[in-house]
Amino acid sequence: MPAPTLRSWELRYGLPVTLRSPGGHRRYTEAALHELGMMRDEVASGRTPAEAARRVRVLLDEQSGTRSRVEGLLAGSERHDASAIRSVLEEARAALGLAATLDAVVLPTMRQIGAWWETGRCDVDQETFTTEVVRGWLAKLTTLAPPPASDRWVLLGTGPHDVHTLGIEALGALLVTRGTGCRVLGARTPQHVVVAAVRASSPAGVVIVSHLSHQRRAAVGSLDALAATGCPTYYAGNAFRSGASRREVPGTYLGERLAEAATTIERALPTELPPGLASAG
Ligand code: B12
């Protein structure tokens, strides 16, 4: 990152505040580097530095209780220690609840692992190992969740070329543990499969998540076909992060946080009972 950018962010936004050496040189602590990394990521995703700084402050507030848990997960990931990862996840869920564990612990950990993979600090084996441990934990939560509180349920799938399923599995676990039924269709959900599933079983909503921008077009194809069925459609993922990528996409964008996504879906679910059930009291 160019030195003038570092100076300007510190001067204008106080992000990060650095220590000075006796000679007046800036010294970056590990925490300062973490803040800089967040600023870099927010600016890279299209935000102005001022917007990025506002968002980083919100994220830092949230992270104050979660950073050590993210570090615990990363340490377990580096040692390929599945039980250490599960213990951190369980402890975080008990302390913060599932929604905050997912948004403030699991997703930042996966993002960090993605960044490590990109820079060669970890290999795809570590990435896959960590994802599989998290997926196993989510599957257990989903399987053991009490039966849904009503017969309204939502269908969750990916774009036709996407293998990144963690987002839909995490959203599914969150919805199910909060009483909304879900069916997860899995990786590379073909358009005709998701459309057939909607026509055959009339879910109360359908979600498509796509991660890679070059696969966005196929995911939008699925959303267009789903919109034609009349089923309420929702979408999320990095492929839709910028405003331009959401132009003329049918349905509701779920944003970047699973907790808000779950609430958006729950609020839109029909609350009235079907006529037969209503008259039966
Ligand atoms: C685990 C992982 C994998 C696993 C997936 C396993 C699985 N079952 O999910 C495996 C190893 C299979 C994999 C494969 C690949 N991956 Co990958 N992967 C990841 C990793 C580490 C986590 C993915 C994830 O779950 N992300 C969810 C969260 C952590 O992502 P996020 O950026 O924070 O997302 C934000 C929003 O988009 C939103 N969001 C994301 N998902 C959802 C879902 C819902 C419902 C909601 C509401 C919001 C939401 O919320 C987040 C918080 O703000 C990411 C790193 C990363 N930053 O995501 C790379 C990453 C997504 N992968 C990447 C790549 C390039 C690939 C491969 C092409 C690699 C390859 N050369 O083979 C393939 C793609 C295969 C394909 N056809 O899709 C790149 C994508 C770069 C890009 N933007 O184009 C990333 C970003 C890594 C990187 N730094 O380069 N991957």
Side-chain angles (χ1 to χ4, degrees):
M1 212 177 275
T5 307
L6 298 180
R7 281 198 289 272
S8 140
W9 285 355
E10 183 170 358
L11 203 67
R12 292 186 187 182
Y13 315 116
L15 273 171
V17 174
T18 57
L19 306 171
R20 298 298 162 97
S21 70
H25 292 288
R26 288 176 169 79
R27 291 283 178 261
Y28 289 85
T29 59
E30 187 106 353
L33 289 177
H34 173 63
E35 290 175 20
L36 265 184
M38 291 170 78
M39 276 297 282
R40 175 207 55 203
D41 291 348
E42 294 302 324
V43 170
S45 77
R47 294 189 165 88
T48 64
E51 286 164 352
R54 270 195 296 278
R55 191 167 146 79
V56 168
R57 282 191 201 295
V58 172
L59 294 173
L60 284 171
D61 270 357
E62 287 173 1
Q63 282 177 8
S64 48
T66 56
R67 191 68 211 151
S68 61
R69 294 179 175 108
V70 171
E71 274 156 18
L73 286 185
L74 290 170
S77 161
E78 285 195 293
R79 295 196 310 270
H80 283 67
D81 184 343
S83 67
I85 294 176
R86 281 192 289 269
S87 316
V88 176
L89 292 171
E90 273 310 314
E91 183 279 326
R93 186 167 77 99
L96 310 169
L98 182 58
T101 299
L102 294 172
D103 278 323
V105 181
V106 174
L107 295 188
T109 302
M110 295 315 297
R111 238 172 275 146
Q112 185 62 58
I113 290 176
W116 280 354
W117 171 77
E118 207 174 4
T119 55
R121 177 165 166 186
C122 84
D123 53 23
V124 76
D125 165 46
Q126 184 186 332
E127 181 179 297
T128 308
F129 166 80
T130 316
T131 319
E132 289 309 308
V133 177
V134 174
R135 293 181 70 211
W137 179 73
L138 290 170
K140 187 176 131 207
L141 289 180
T142 306
T143 308
L144 299 181
S150 79
D151 56 3
R152 304 159 313 177
W153 61 281
V154 291
L155 191 62
L156 310 177
T158 63
H161 305 300
D162 281 280
V163 301
H164 296 98
T165 52
L166 200 63
I168 49 169
E169 287 158 348
L171 179 64
L174 191 54
L175 285 168
V176 167
T177 53
R178 284 159 47 149
T180 298
C182 281
R183 263 186 234 164
V184 178
L185 287 173
R188 293 199 170 110
T189 312
Q191 179 180 314
H192 70 274
V193 168
V194 67
V195 170
V198 165
R199 289 200 198 284
S201 46
S202 309
V206 53
V207 179
I208 296 290
V209 171
S210 178
H211 262 297
L212 307 181
S213 352
H214 61 273
Q215 289 157 357
R216 193 188 70 94
R217 194 183 290 268
V220 175
S222 293
L223 286 162
D224 282 332
L226 287 165
T229 67
C231 180
T233 52
Y234 303 88
Y235 61 97
N238 281 308
F240 299 107
R241 200 162 187 174
S242 72
S245 67
R246 300 197 290 270
R247 218 167 284 142
E248 293 179 30
V249 176
T252 307
Y253 175 57
L254 287 174
E256 296 187 2
R257 297 165 64 87
L258 294 162
E260 281 155 31
T263 307
T264 303
I265 294 170
E266 287 159 351
R267 287 211 180 116
L269 288 175
T271 49
E272 282 169 25
L273 291 170
L277 283 177
S279 59

